[in-house]
Amino acid sequence: MSASTFGSGIRRREDPRLITGTATYTDDIVLPGMLHAAMLRSPFAHARIRNIDTSAAAEAPGVVAVYIGADTDGEIGPAPCAWLLPDSGLTIADYHCIAKDTARYVGDIVAVVVAESIHQTYDALDLIDVDYDMLDAVVEPKQSAAEGAPQLHAEIEGNQAFHWTVTGGGDITEAFESADVVVKETIVQQRLIPNAMEPRAALASYTKATGELTLWNTTQNPHIVRFLVSLVAGIPEDRLRVIAPEVGGGFGSKIAVYPADFITVFCSKKLGVPVKWVETRSENYQATTHGRDHVQEIELAATSDGKIVGLRATVWAGMGAYLSTAAPGIPTILHGLMLSGVYDIPAIHEDVYGLYTNTTPVEAYRGAGRPEATFMVERLVDLLATKLGMDPAEVRRRNFIPKFDDGHDVVTGLTYDSGDYDGALTKLLGEAGYDQLRAEQAEARKEGRYIGVGLSTYVEICGLGPSQVAGAIGFQGGLWESAIVRFHPSGKVNVMIGASPHGQGEETTFAQIIAGELGVSPDDVKVIHGDTENTPMGWGTYGSRTTAVGGAALALAARKIRDKAMVIAAHLLEAAVEDMEYEDGKFFVKGSPESSKTIQDIALMANVAWNMPEGVEAGLEATTFYDPPNFVFPYGAHLAKVEVDAETGSVTLQRYVAVDDCGPQINPVIVEGQVHGGIVQGIGQALWEEGVYDEDGQLLTGTMLDYAIPRADGLPDIEVHSTVTPSPHHPLGVKGIGEAGTIASTAAVYNAVIDALQPLGVSSVRMPLTPERVWRSIQAAEEDN
Amino acid sequence: MQFQSRYSFDADPGRVFDAMTDPATVAKCLPGCERLEAIGENRYRAQMTIGVAAIKGRFKGTVELRDLDRPNCYSMRVDGRGPAGYAKGESRVTIAPSDAGSSVSVTAKAQIGGAVARVGQRLLAGTAKMVADRFFACLRSRVAEREAG
């Protein structure tokens, strides 16, 4: 009932419907006369399409229409790339929704069938006869850049989508030439497959008489979907309604607007009836965007006492066969600009080559560019520690940016908002019992057991972001957020937001923000999101921005309400506004709290408007569009403890301890949940997950049997701690926490495994650290010795 | 996918060679083979049903015998596809006299794609071996029948 609700770990109100199976997902929606669509996808990674014979499919039972690429000419344009990375020679290959003459990855759509039932669509797909002429394929980004590599797009030389560079601080060559020590490493950030529980889906319903279309779509950003569908399918935005109903996980894979979404819209528009498309799990593996896929050559220069003087890197980033909606910004802006990490690094240079390959397009995946950056920096710092024979914690301490609470510039051009990196590490080492762990490790080594302790100290950029910056970095949209707060006569509240949470818990935390600002019970606040018809414009939920940006919009809207309520209360209490005070949902004349008006009293009066102050409008409602002045920069320190069985190469993760600082926590239980999930996804990259293609571009990890998603039996209890450093520029001081765990944990676990293997002479193992790879590395190291 | 295996026959290389390159015998012995008809010299149109794990599908394609050198060796090129995927491969068969009669060694390399590759990846080599084993067991009994006859 009071401001104390802000900061309490109340239960997520989203959960009852989710855990009782009563939530409504896109696939649950059934409309009268609805038809079903299914996509025929190329089984070849690279093939010329000589001919497509759809005649047998068109005559199959229940089939209403079969379309190929040529049928969409003039109806839907290519799927757009909307992050036009400047100064990078960006070349965007046309991503035709239905491939026209060439298929460029296993999963590229070559035809669509619309039929009365789902089963009829699949039966008809089998009857389409496509005459393919198989071409050579390239799947690995560095190979794609090599001379003589198969070329994906005739108009694009060397398969290069872009070459982006970041240079900051002093002369990098000079830094390396004058350094006492240099450490180097080549890292493969393997391809990951997001695996949201709900595969992608779209239901389009077009009414020919009015020219209006409603699209239910499992997306993280319905307003962006509306914007892009309007452009690609030529339906004016005012006649286009996009609804993201319950969305069963995204992790970045539901940012993009996909060819299949546009095709579903096209089919409904063409046929004038509702058309639903739901991806199979097998399609999800092939055609929903993947993450990571970097080859990184990295090096760090330092003085003999462990002070870093320069960091230099070249990265080959696989982009897949086409550029997905936000893809170019991920391995560049969200990656290269973060290479200073939590350290004071005087000179940084990175070249990033974005390469087309005959693979599924790569997009944001939880952390999106930042895990890849954190891994590079944290790996190099550990290598430096090993080289100098120093403790990895000590090397970190010698290089940390000192504590700051209102802005710190790093050489890549960013201004971090606030941080106390040494504070986070100190807390971590204490909670984990670091010295004891090192003693235990030394004892174990005497017994021939290999225990490892790994650290990862990170800072991330999130709360994307100032719109002016968005424009400068080529993001084809704004990055502000919006909120409407509406009081009903009874004092109940509806909050309408432009962001589109899908599991992060903002239906709960945003009610807590209102409770904190206006003194209502969170139970009296309903948060509405995900429908472009009844929410204000917003740019979506990704980049840990919903609370960091949308939460700020909401807090400011609530404060507008409070200001207006104060004027009405003053009028009702016959006092001057300057003499009024507010506390815990009550408005009263200073010194007379016994005679007060509650926010509910004011809501009733404002709605009936029987007795309003002169010149004050009826209603108690406020709208805010909030454009943040800067990003927010959460940070923390994580520790992993592992034991490696040198006989089998198997890694047991024994402990995981996290200290994260996301500023004041609106709901610590939800923060803990986000930290848990994030950490596990990062551990998955370190130990188990990899999307694998064979050399012909066949996806070998196309099912849940073949792709290793983390399971509870491989994980210890995650020990979660925090520090609290408010962001100086956020109205509530809060930062973001959705991606932090993933950004930190891959490096922590990797560093722990390498630390364990140090006595065996292993300094590098390609991820994921499966028993086979670890075992082979141990054998190779033994042979070298 | 790569495949390698060796089979022994108690018949001389000439007879084994003839049986292995006789379309009627091959059609009878190849598990799942529904049709094998000549469309040119040493070229055949084939139709087969193959199951790998949960994926079972009909493949249509061509089989071409090349570099025939009776009774020592030949090569076979196969190109097939269907709704469950595609397979494109080449195998080399060498037949050498042995104490028992003949020893046949097969090496094959294939590109396999589509649902078969995605879902059945781990079982592909095993399935190939099973198909080959059954093919040669059948062939062996046919050759033996002829020897006896």
PDB file of all heavy atoms in Angstrom, chain A residues 290-318:
ATOM      1  N   HIS A 290      20.230 -16.911 -35.121  1.00  0.00           N
ATOM      2  CA  HIS A 290      21.225 -17.451 -34.203  1.00  0.00           C
ATOM      3  C   HIS A 290      22.006 -16.296 -33.571  1.00  0.00           C
ATOM      4  O   HIS A 290      21.794 -15.135 -33.906  1.00  0.00           O
ATOM      5  CB  HIS A 290      22.183 -18.377 -34.958  1.00  0.00           C
ATOM      6  CG  HIS A 290      21.522 -19.607 -35.521  1.00  0.00           C
ATOM      7  ND1 HIS A 290      22.158 -20.479 -36.355  1.00  0.00           N
ATOM      8  CD2 HIS A 290      20.266 -20.103 -35.365  1.00  0.00           C
ATOM      9  CE1 HIS A 290      21.333 -21.473 -36.683  1.00  0.00           C
ATOM     10  NE2 HIS A 290      20.179 -21.255 -36.104  1.00  0.00           N
ATOM     11  N   GLY A 291      22.932 -16.674 -32.656  1.00  0.00           N
ATOM     12  CA  GLY A 291      23.731 -15.642 -31.997  1.00  0.00           C
ATOM     13  C   GLY A 291      25.220 -15.944 -32.039  1.00  0.00           C
ATOM     14  O   GLY A 291      25.642 -17.050 -32.376  1.00  0.00           O
ATOM     15  N   ARG A 292      26.025 -14.885 -31.675  1.00  0.00           N
ATOM     16  CA  ARG A 292      27.498 -14.969 -31.599  1.00  0.00           C
ATOM     17  C   ARG A 292      28.121 -15.263 -32.983  1.00  0.00           C
ATOM     18  O   ARG A 292      27.878 -14.554 -33.890  1.00  0.00           O
ATOM     19  CB  ARG A 292      27.951 -16.017 -30.564  1.00  0.00           C
ATOM     20  CG  ARG A 292      27.141 -15.984 -29.239  1.00  0.00           C
ATOM     21  CD  ARG A 292      27.556 -14.884 -28.293  1.00  0.00           C
ATOM     22  NE  ARG A 292      26.910 -15.018 -26.996  1.00  0.00           N
ATOM     23  CZ  ARG A 292      25.808 -14.338 -26.603  1.00  0.00           C
ATOM     24  NH1 ARG A 292      25.239 -13.456 -27.403  1.00  0.00           N
ATOM     25  NH2 ARG A 292      25.277 -14.505 -25.410  1.00  0.00           N
ATOM     26  N   ASP A 293      28.924 -16.318 -33.106  1.00  0.00           N
ATOM     27  CA  ASP A 293      29.650 -16.671 -34.328  1.00  0.00           C
ATOM     28  C   ASP A 293      30.756 -15.674 -34.664  1.00  0.00           C
ATOM     29  O   ASP A 293      30.744 -15.060 -35.731  1.00  0.00           O
ATOM     30  CB  ASP A 293      28.694 -16.852 -35.526  1.00  0.00           C
ATOM     31  CG  ASP A 293      29.347 -17.645 -36.664  1.00  0.00           C
ATOM     32  OD1 ASP A 293      30.333 -18.359 -36.385  1.00  0.00           O
ATOM     33  OD2 ASP A 293      28.885 -17.555 -37.813  1.00  0.00           O
ATOM     34  N   HIS A 294      31.678 -15.531 -33.748  1.00  0.00           N
ATOM     35  CA  HIS A 294      32.853 -14.693 -33.990  1.00  0.00           C
ATOM     36  C   HIS A 294      34.114 -15.548 -34.022  1.00  0.00           C
ATOM     37  O   HIS A 294      34.236 -16.495 -33.254  1.00  0.00           O
ATOM     38  CB  HIS A 294      33.102 -13.725 -32.825  1.00  0.00           C
ATOM     39  CG  HIS A 294      32.141 -12.599 -32.718  1.00  0.00           C
ATOM     40  ND1 HIS A 294      32.419 -11.494 -31.954  1.00  0.00           N
ATOM     41  CD2 HIS A 294      30.924 -12.403 -33.250  1.00  0.00           C
ATOM     42  CE1 HIS A 294      31.395 -10.657 -32.017  1.00  0.00           C
ATOM     43  NE2 HIS A 294      30.468 -11.182 -32.792  1.00  0.00           N
ATOM     44  N   VAL A 295      35.052 -15.155 -34.864  1.00  0.00           N
ATOM     45  CA  VAL A 295      36.429 -15.602 -34.708  1.00  0.00           C
ATOM     46  C   VAL A 295      37.196 -14.354 -34.299  1.00  0.00           C
ATOM     47  O   VAL A 295      37.120 -13.321 -34.967  1.00  0.00           O
ATOM     48  CB  VAL A 295      36.994 -16.179 -36.022  1.00  0.00           C
ATOM     49  CG1 VAL A 295      38.461 -16.553 -35.836  1.00  0.00           C
ATOM     50  CG2 VAL A 295      36.184 -17.384 -36.458  1.00  0.00           C
ATOM     51  N   GLN A 296      37.894 -14.437 -33.163  1.00  0.00           N
ATOM     52  CA  GLN A 296      38.525 -13.238 -32.612  1.00  0.00           C
ATOM     53  C   GLN A 296      40.023 -13.468 -32.434  1.00  0.00           C
ATOM     54  O   GLN A 296      40.432 -14.442 -31.811  1.00  0.00           O
ATOM     55  CB  GLN A 296      37.930 -12.920 -31.232  1.00  0.00           C
ATOM     56  CG  GLN A 296      36.405 -12.820 -31.243  1.00  0.00           C
ATOM     57  CD  GLN A 296      35.833 -12.670 -29.823  1.00  0.00           C
ATOM     58  OE1 GLN A 296      36.400 -13.180 -28.862  1.00  0.00           O
ATOM     59  NE2 GLN A 296      34.723 -11.955 -29.711  1.00  0.00           N
ATOM     60  N   GLU A 297      40.815 -12.571 -32.994  1.00  0.00           N
ATOM     61  CA  GLU A 297      42.247 -12.581 -32.705  1.00  0.00           C
ATOM     62  C   GLU A 297      42.513 -11.379 -31.827  1.00  0.00           C
ATOM     63  O   GLU A 297      42.263 -10.242 -32.234  1.00  0.00           O
ATOM     64  CB  GLU A 297      43.051 -12.531 -34.006  1.00  0.00           C
ATOM     65  CG  GLU A 297      42.996 -13.855 -34.731  1.00  0.00           C
ATOM     66  CD  GLU A 297      43.729 -13.870 -36.057  1.00  0.00           C
ATOM     67  OE1 GLU A 297      44.386 -12.860 -36.407  1.00  0.00           O
ATOM     68  OE2 GLU A 297      43.622 -14.892 -36.757  1.00  0.00           O
ATOM     69  N   ILE A 298      42.968 -11.648 -30.618  1.00  0.00           N
ATOM     70  CA  ILE A 298      43.032 -10.572 -29.629  1.00  0.00           C
ATOM     71  C   ILE A 298      44.410 -10.521 -28.985  1.00  0.00           C
ATOM     72  O   ILE A 298      45.096 -11.536 -28.864  1.00  0.00           O
ATOM     73  CB  ILE A 298      41.960 -10.765 -28.540  1.00  0.00           C
ATOM     74  CG1 ILE A 298      42.149 -12.097 -27.791  1.00  0.00           C
ATOM     75  CG2 ILE A 298      40.564 -10.742 -29.163  1.00  0.00           C
ATOM     76  CD1 ILE A 298      41.190 -12.297 -26.641  1.00  0.00           C
ATOM     77  N   GLU A 299      44.809  -9.326 -28.578  1.00  0.00           N
ATOM     78  CA  GLU A 299      46.080  -9.207 -27.859  1.00  0.00           C
ATOM     79  C   GLU A 299      46.037  -8.025 -26.900  1.00  0.00           C
ATOM     80  O   GLU A 299      45.316  -7.049 -27.106  1.00  0.00           O
ATOM     81  CB  GLU A 299      47.260  -9.102 -28.831  1.00  0.00           C
ATOM     82  CG  GLU A 299      47.143  -8.023 -29.871  1.00  0.00           C
ATOM     83  CD  GLU A 299      48.286  -8.058 -30.880  1.00  0.00           C
ATOM     84  OE1 GLU A 299      49.354  -8.596 -30.563  1.00  0.00           O
ATOM     85  OE2 GLU A 299      48.100  -7.520 -31.983  1.00  0.00           O
ATOM     86  N   LEU A 300      46.832  -8.170 -25.854  1.00  0.00           N
ATOM     87  CA  LEU A 300      46.857  -7.172 -24.794  1.00  0.00           C
ATOM     88  C   LEU A 300      48.311  -6.841 -24.484  1.00  0.00           C
ATOM     89  O   LEU A 300      49.152  -7.739 -24.379  1.00  0.00           O
ATOM     90  CB  LEU A 300      46.183  -7.758 -23.550  1.00  0.00           C
ATOM     91  CG  LEU A 300      45.882  -6.823 -22.382  1.00  0.00           C
ATOM     92  CD1 LEU A 300      44.707  -5.907 -22.720  1.00  0.00           C
ATOM     93  CD2 LEU A 300      45.549  -7.624 -21.127  1.00  0.00           C
ATOM     94  N   ALA A 301      48.593  -5.557 -24.350  1.00  0.00           N
ATOM     95  CA  ALA A 301      49.944  -5.112 -24.014  1.00  0.00           C
ATOM     96  C   ALA A 301      49.932  -4.543 -22.594  1.00  0.00           C
ATOM     97  O   ALA A 301      48.975  -3.878 -22.195  1.00  0.00           O
ATOM     98  CB  ALA A 301      50.403  -4.038 -25.000  1.00  0.00           C
ATOM     99  N   ALA A 302      50.999  -4.818 -21.835  1.00  0.00           N
ATOM    100  CA  ALA A 302      51.031  -4.366 -20.447  1.00  0.00           C
ATOM    101  C   ALA A 302      52.449  -4.133 -19.972  1.00  0.00           C
ATOM    102  O   ALA A 302      53.417  -4.560 -20.615  1.00  0.00           O
ATOM    103  CB  ALA A 302      50.353  -5.406 -19.550  1.00  0.00           C
ATOM    104  N   THR A 303      52.539  -3.455 -18.856  1.00  0.00           N
ATOM    105  CA  THR A 303      53.840  -3.279 -18.220  1.00  0.00           C
ATOM    106  C   THR A 303      54.151  -4.514 -17.381  1.00  0.00           C
ATOM    107  O   THR A 303      53.260  -5.326 -17.115  1.00  0.00           O
ATOM    108  CB  THR A 303      53.833  -2.045 -17.284  1.00  0.00           C
ATOM    109  OG1 THR A 303      52.894  -2.291 -16.238  1.00  0.00           O
ATOM    110  CG2 THR A 303      53.444  -0.782 -18.034  1.00  0.00           C
ATOM    111  N   SER A 304      55.387  -4.623 -16.934  1.00  0.00           N
ATOM    112  CA  SER A 304      55.773  -5.816 -16.183  1.00  0.00           C
ATOM    113  C   SER A 304      55.104  -5.873 -14.817  1.00  0.00           C
ATOM    114  O   SER A 304      55.028  -6.931 -14.197  1.00  0.00           O
ATOM    115  CB  SER A 304      57.290  -5.886 -16.030  1.00  0.00           C
ATOM    116  OG  SER A 304      57.734  -4.679 -15.436  1.00  0.00           O
ATOM    117  N   ASP A 305      54.583  -4.742 -14.338  1.00  0.00           N
ATOM    118  CA  ASP A 305      53.862  -4.824 -13.066  1.00  0.00           C
ATOM    119  C   ASP A 305      52.344  -4.947 -13.274  1.00  0.00           C
ATOM    120  O   ASP A 305      51.560  -4.722 -12.355  1.00  0.00           O
ATOM    121  CB  ASP A 305      54.224  -3.661 -12.140  1.00  0.00           C
ATOM    122  CG  ASP A 305      53.922  -2.313 -12.761  1.00  0.00           C
ATOM    123  OD1 ASP A 305      53.516  -2.280 -13.951  1.00  0.00           O
ATOM    124  OD2 ASP A 305      54.085  -1.289 -12.058  1.00  0.00           O
ATOM    125  N   GLY A 306      51.952  -5.309 -14.489  1.00  0.00           N
ATOM    126  CA  GLY A 306      50.554  -5.675 -14.701  1.00  0.00           C
ATOM    127  C   GLY A 306      49.619  -4.540 -15.079  1.00  0.00           C
ATOM    128  O   GLY A 306      48.398  -4.698 -15.022  1.00  0.00           O
ATOM    129  N   LYS A 307      50.164  -3.408 -15.485  1.00  0.00           N
ATOM    130  CA  LYS A 307      49.292  -2.303 -15.896  1.00  0.00           C
ATOM    131  C   LYS A 307      49.061  -2.391 -17.408  1.00  0.00           C
ATOM    132  O   LYS A 307      50.008  -2.401 -18.192  1.00  0.00           O
ATOM    133  CB  LYS A 307      49.959  -0.967 -15.515  1.00  0.00           C
ATOM    134  CG  LYS A 307      49.129   0.256 -15.778  1.00  0.00           C
ATOM    135  CD  LYS A 307      48.069   0.502 -14.697  1.00  0.00           C
ATOM    136  CE  LYS A 307      47.064   1.574 -15.112  1.00  0.00           C
ATOM    137  NZ  LYS A 307      46.018   1.166 -16.055  1.00  0.00           N
ATOM    138  N   ILE A 308      47.790  -2.453 -17.792  1.00  0.00           N
ATOM    139  CA  ILE A 308      47.455  -2.593 -19.222  1.00  0.00           C
ATOM    140  C   ILE A 308      47.752  -1.291 -19.960  1.00  0.00           C
ATOM    141  O   ILE A 308      47.374  -0.207 -19.500  1.00  0.00           O
ATOM    142  CB  ILE A 308      45.961  -2.947 -19.393  1.00  0.00           C
ATOM    143  CG1 ILE A 308      45.649  -4.275 -18.689  1.00  0.00           C
ATOM    144  CG2 ILE A 308      45.582  -3.031 -20.874  1.00  0.00           C
ATOM    145  CD1 ILE A 308      44.148  -4.567 -18.565  1.00  0.00           C
ATOM    146  N   VAL A 309      48.407  -1.428 -21.129  1.00  0.00           N
ATOM    147  CA  VAL A 309      48.699  -0.219 -21.911  1.00  0.00           C
ATOM    148  C   VAL A 309      47.994  -0.213 -23.277  1.00  0.00           C
ATOM    149  O   VAL A 309      47.912   0.819 -23.931  1.00  0.00           O
ATOM    150  CB  VAL A 309      50.223   0.000 -22.107  1.00  0.00           C
ATOM    151  CG1 VAL A 309      50.900   0.242 -20.767  1.00  0.00           C
ATOM    152  CG2 VAL A 309      50.869  -1.180 -22.822  1.00  0.00           C
ATOM    153  N   GLY A 310      47.467  -1.363 -23.688  1.00  0.00           N
ATOM    154  CA  GLY A 310      46.764  -1.353 -24.969  1.00  0.00           C
ATOM    155  C   GLY A 310      46.046  -2.666 -25.249  1.00  0.00           C
ATOM    156  O   GLY A 310      46.450  -3.719 -24.739  1.00  0.00           O
ATOM    157  N   LEU A 311      44.965  -2.583 -26.015  1.00  0.00           N
ATOM    158  CA  LEU A 311      44.211  -3.783 -26.413  1.00  0.00           C
ATOM    159  C   LEU A 311      43.927  -3.669 -27.905  1.00  0.00           C
ATOM    160  O   LEU A 311      43.468  -2.630 -28.385  1.00  0.00           O
ATOM    161  CB  LEU A 311      42.908  -3.877 -25.617  1.00  0.00           C
ATOM    162  CG  LEU A 311      42.051  -5.138 -25.811  1.00  0.00           C
ATOM    163  CD1 LEU A 311      41.199  -5.384 -24.566  1.00  0.00           C
ATOM    164  CD2 LEU A 311      41.133  -5.069 -27.024  1.00  0.00           C
ATOM    165  N   ARG A 312      44.236  -4.765 -28.613  1.00  0.00           N
ATOM    166  CA  ARG A 312      44.066  -4.738 -30.068  1.00  0.00           C
ATOM    167  C   ARG A 312      43.369  -6.031 -30.499  1.00  0.00           C
ATOM    168  O   ARG A 312      43.678  -7.100 -29.957  1.00  0.00           O
ATOM    169  CB  ARG A 312      45.438  -4.626 -30.714  1.00  0.00           C
ATOM    170  CG  ARG A 312      45.422  -4.448 -32.226  1.00  0.00           C
ATOM    171  CD  ARG A 312      46.728  -3.858 -32.718  1.00  0.00           C
ATOM    172  NE  ARG A 312      47.882  -4.693 -32.370  1.00  0.00           N
ATOM    173  CZ  ARG A 312      49.152  -4.343 -32.585  1.00  0.00           C
ATOM    174  NH1 ARG A 312      49.449  -3.167 -33.134  1.00  0.00           N
ATOM    175  NH2 ARG A 312      50.139  -5.140 -32.246  1.00  0.00           N
ATOM    176  N   ALA A 313      42.451  -5.937 -31.452  1.00  0.00           N
ATOM    177  CA  ALA A 313      41.707  -7.137 -31.849  1.00  0.00           C
ATOM    178  C   ALA A 313      41.238  -7.041 -33.291  1.00  0.00           C
ATOM    179  O   ALA A 313      41.008  -5.951 -33.817  1.00  0.00           O
ATOM    180  CB  ALA A 313      40.491  -7.321 -30.948  1.00  0.00           C
ATOM    181  N   THR A 314      41.146  -8.211 -33.900  1.00  0.00           N
ATOM    182  CA  THR A 314      40.470  -8.329 -35.195  1.00  0.00           C
ATOM    183  C   THR A 314      39.405  -9.401 -35.038  1.00  0.00           C
ATOM    184  O   THR A 314      39.681 -10.480 -34.498  1.00  0.00           O
ATOM    185  CB  THR A 314      41.448  -8.746 -36.307  1.00  0.00           C
ATOM    186  OG1 THR A 314      42.532  -7.816 -36.325  1.00  0.00           O
ATOM    187  CG2 THR A 314      40.764  -8.739 -37.663  1.00  0.00           C
ATOM    188  N   VAL A 315      38.200  -9.074 -35.489  1.00  0.00           N
ATOM    189  CA  VAL A 315      37.081 -10.000 -35.329  1.00  0.00           C
ATOM    190  C   VAL A 315      36.442 -10.260 -36.686  1.00  0.00           C
ATOM    191  O   VAL A 315      36.198  -9.321 -37.450  1.00  0.00           O
ATOM    192  CB  VAL A 315      36.026  -9.430 -34.347  1.00  0.00           C
ATOM    193  CG1 VAL A 315      34.754 -10.266 -34.373  1.00  0.00           C
ATOM    194  CG2 VAL A 315      36.590  -9.360 -32.934  1.00  0.00           C
ATOM    195  N   TRP A 316      36.196 -11.537 -36.982  1.00  0.00           N
ATOM    196  CA  TRP A 316      35.419 -11.919 -38.150  1.00  0.00           C
ATOM    197  C   TRP A 316      34.070 -12.394 -37.624  1.00  0.00           C
ATOM    198  O   TRP A 316      34.009 -13.405 -36.908  1.00  0.00           O
ATOM    199  CB  TRP A 316      36.121 -13.034 -38.924  1.00  0.00           C
ATOM    200  CG  TRP A 316      37.387 -12.578 -39.578  1.00  0.00           C
ATOM    201  CD1 TRP A 316      37.543 -12.155 -40.866  1.00  0.00           C
ATOM    202  CD2 TRP A 316      38.694 -12.505 -38.982  1.00  0.00           C
ATOM    203  NE1 TRP A 316      38.857 -11.817 -41.108  1.00  0.00           N
ATOM    204  CE2 TRP A 316      39.582 -12.019 -39.976  1.00  0.00           C
ATOM    205  CE3 TRP A 316      39.205 -12.776 -37.712  1.00  0.00           C
ATOM    206  CZ2 TRP A 316      40.940 -11.807 -39.738  1.00  0.00           C
ATOM    207  CZ3 TRP A 316      40.563 -12.568 -37.462  1.00  0.00           C
ATOM    208  CH2 TRP A 316      41.411 -12.092 -38.466  1.00  0.00           C
ATOM    209  N   ALA A 317      33.044 -11.636 -37.936  1.00  0.00           N
ATOM    210  CA  ALA A 317      31.720 -11.950 -37.391  1.00  0.00           C
ATOM    211  C   ALA A 317      30.851 -12.533 -38.496  1.00  0.00           C
ATOM    212  O   ALA A 317      30.618 -11.877 -39.519  1.00  0.00           O
ATOM    213  CB  ALA A 317      31.062 -10.693 -36.818  1.00  0.00           C
ATOM    214  N   GLY A 318      30.394 -13.771 -38.299  1.00  0.00           N
ATOM    215  CA  GLY A 318      29.487 -14.383 -39.269  1.00  0.00           C
ATOM    216  C   GLY A 318      28.117 -13.745 -39.136  1.00  0.00           C
ATOM    217  O   GLY A 318      27.562 -13.686 -38.039  1.00  0.00           O
TER     218      GLY A 318
END
